[in-house]
Amino acid sequence: MGAETGECGRAALRSQNGGRCSPSDAKPSSTDRREPSSRAVADPSSPAGHGKFPFHTFVLKFHSRCDLACDYCYMYRAADQSWRHQPRSMSPAVIAWTADRIAEHVRAHGLRAVTVVLHGGEPLLAGPRLLRRAVTEIARAAGPGVRVETCVQTNAWRLDEAWLDTLGELDVRVGVSLDGDRAAHDRHRVRPGGGGSHGRVAAAVRRLADGPHRRLFAGLLCTVDLRNDPLATYRELLRYRPPMIDFLLPLGTWAAPPPGRIAGRPDTPYGDWLAAVFDQWYAAPVRETDVRVLHNLVSLVLGGRSRTEGLGLEPVRYVVVETDGSIALDDTLRVARAGATRTGLHVARDSFDRALAHPDVRARQSGAAALSAACRACALLPVCGGGHHVHRYRADGSGFRNPSVYCPDLASLVRHVHRRVAADTARLRRLPPVPEACP
């Protein structure tokens, strides 16, 4: 799908040992429904998950294939091609093991609410029966005292009335990837045999936004393309009255920079693009939607917190389960190198506390300590947070301990937002104090 998990997951959206199972420790067969040996207790070798920050979001790679062929997709066009060896859909056994592991994690950490994101590939390809099974088994395993918010992140190619009825019955929220108008969307998000997808996707989004299932509408994901006018793109997306828009920077690294971003140059094309949207969004007399990246920037410059990875220093709180049941790191790491997402863990035998103890998860929960010296010395660090993890990658042996390849863009955008918010707070300080009570 080429997108992060989006608003419905509020995933924090993502080196490690790359361990593989040895033949004597091979993954269980997907048809083997024997119970995991430690299903009901936290892993004793990792008490309380080795830290203060248990996972609260579980991203399930529910189906490993897609019915679109987007040219920027990190699943199919990146250095890591492990999707070729994944089963197409999660098996009933993997769903059951995953449900047990989520419930185990909930009990071990006293959680009262978790989010489950059905992702892909394209999750709707798995079909309604399997999706229903996943939603109901996870909720049943978590128990009545735990709120399980489930969402699906889809390209909307198959999002018809029948699917909306099923998702509505199960109370599954829906996030959709849409890159703007027909020209913008169809430049990248095409069918495998060629031809655009915008007409059918736009019709599905209108069906979601304007019909009886609007309450399921989580928001829109839009990947930034510098060739598209930022304000025209924003206004086009607003036509669907989305509760949230998330603008995603194209995935790239120092080894493979994103389009228009020449590594090391001081120009700020992406920062300028997002700053134009910010000015429109921030100055609107009536709130039009929540633009997640901009909302988080305002929160951070005012001393608050971020709800997404890639800004601020909040610890990573999500984990990925592959279609075959492997427990994985953020799947956008596929653009860095082959094997970058592997942990060597599997839901049939390993608790999510073992994933919390993984060195890369621990590093990404350690705040500034895992960042480069340049980032730690930067005055913008509390807001920027070093940028998205994958955007820091270099293939020279330094791995992820580098500033973001988007560093100039992020710095420019942070300063732009800070100037606007600081000017408004200064005006507030000049106003007479508000009386404690009405006369």
Side-chain angles (χ1 to χ4, degrees):
M1 293 177 60
E4 294 179 273
T5 56
E7 166 67 12
C8 55
R10 292 187 181 174
L13 303 43
R14 296 258 203 246
S15 133
Q16 63 145 22
N17 62 13
R20 298 173 181 269
C21 299
S22 68
S24 62
D25 191 27
K27 297 172 187 172
S29 162
S30 62
T31 59
D32 184 352
R33 182 55 188 101
R34 289 172 293 178
E35 296 176 356
S37 59
S38 58
R39 130 183 212 180
V41 295
D43 182 65
S45 69
S46 177
H50 266 281
K52 301 178 290 185
F53 309 112
F55 298 121
H56 57 39
T57 298
F58 302 86
V59 181
L60 277 53
K61 305 299 283 186
F62 198 54
H63 195 283
S64 66
R65 306 301 194 268
C66 192
D67 42 12
L68 295 186
C70 307
D71 62 11
Y72 53 51
C73 185
Y74 64 77
M75 276 290 292
Y76 308 113
R77 295 176 178 266
D80 188 306
Q81 291 288 297
S82 58
W83 65 271
R84 298 179 183 276
H85 309 295
Q86 287 286 340
R88 289 182 174 271
S89 298
M90 277 192 166
S91 70
V94 167
I95 290 171
W97 286 323
T98 302
D100 289 342
R101 292 303 183 190
I102 292 172
E104 172 186 71
H105 201 69
V106 162
R107 290 192 293 271
H109 297 278
L111 303 179
R112 292 292 174 262
V114 294
T115 297
V116 174
V117 184
L118 303 179
H119 210 265
E122 171 47 45
L124 298 189
L125 282 170
R129 181 176 298 178
L130 198 64
L131 186 141
R132 182 185 298 277
R133 182 171 194 152
V135 173
T136 55
E137 284 207 34
I138 291 170
R140 186 184 305 119
V146 178
R147 180 171 58 85
V148 179
E149 179 186 0
T150 307
C151 66
V152 61
Q153 186 62 43
T154 176
N155 61 36
W157 185 256
R158 296 172 182 269
L159 191 62
D160 57 14
E161 288 290 351
W163 259 119
L164 286 172
D165 287 343
T166 298
L167 296 170
E169 178 188 342
L170 297 171
D171 200 25
V172 175
R173 300 186 71 210
V174 182
V176 177
S177 300
L178 182 67
D179 282 351
D181 63 15
R182 183 179 298 274
H185 185 88
D186 286 350
R187 185 180 299 126
H188 303 287
R189 302 186 64 81
V190 297
R191 297 281 292 147
S197 61
H198 180 269
R200 184 159 159 177
V201 171
V205 178
R206 284 194 295 271
R207 190 179 299 121
L208 173 63
D210 299 333
H213 298 299
R214 179 172 172 82
R215 67 183 179 83
L216 304 178
F217 195 7
L220 298 174
L221 295 185
C222 175
T223 299
V224 174
D225 186 331
L226 297 176
R227 290 171 288 185
N228 300 332
D229 179 84
L231 296 185
T233 302
Y234 178 55
R235 292 176 188 130
E236 173 67 20
L237 298 178
L238 284 178
R239 291 178 55 232
Y240 301 95
R241 301 182 298 116
M244 186 279 303
I245 298 172
D246 205 2
F247 288 108
L248 307 178
L249 294 174
L251 288 171
T253 68
W254 288 92
R261 173 74 265 166
I262 299 175
R265 271 187 29 177
D267 56 331
T268 59
Y270 287 94
D272 297 344
W273 201 99
L274 289 170
V277 177
F278 174 80
D279 288 343
Q280 176 80 17
W281 170 77
Y282 186 70
V286 176
R287 175 174 162 149
E288 298 166 316
T289 188
D290 179 13
V291 180
R292 187 167 68 154
V293 62
L294 304 180
H295 178 111
N296 286 324
L297 277 172
V298 172
S299 175
L300 287 162
V301 300
L302 290 172
R305 301 170 67 178
S306 173
R307 301 181 305 173
T308 184
E309 185 183 11
L311 292 171
L313 293 169
E314 291 294 306
V316 167
R317 302 287 299 277
Y318 64 92
V319 67
V320 177
V321 180
E322 298 280 10
T323 316
D324 66 356
S326 301
I327 299 173
L329 303 175
D330 172 10
D331 58 334
T332 64
L333 295 175
R334 297 173 191 275
V335 305
R337 58 178 174 81
T341 65
R342 296 192 192 116
T343 65
L345 305 175
H346 193 280
V347 289
R349 62 171 180 272
D350 298 301
S351 69
F352 286 123
D353 274 2
R354 284 195 181 274
L356 279 178
H358 190 279
D360 289 293
V361 174
R362 295 177 71 177
R364 294 175 71 187
Q365 292 196 340
S366 65
L371 301 180
S372 68
C375 288
R376 294 197 305 273
C378 180
L380 301 182
L381 176 63
V383 178
C384 168
H388 197 291
H389 186 68
V390 71
H391 295 159
R392 306 172 201 153
Y393 181 76
R394 285 186 186 267
D396 61 1
S398 60
F400 299 95
R401 293 185 77 94
N402 300 286
S404 169
V405 71
Y406 284 106
C407 183
D409 297 284
L410 294 173
S412 173
L413 180 61
V414 169
R415 291 188 177 106
H416 181 86
V417 171
H418 183 270
R419 283 193 296 269
R420 291 294 305 270
V421 174
D424 282 350
T425 54
R427 278 193 289 272
L428 284 174
R429 285 195 296 268
R430 291 194 295 268
L431 294 175
V434 177
E436 291 296 326
C438 296

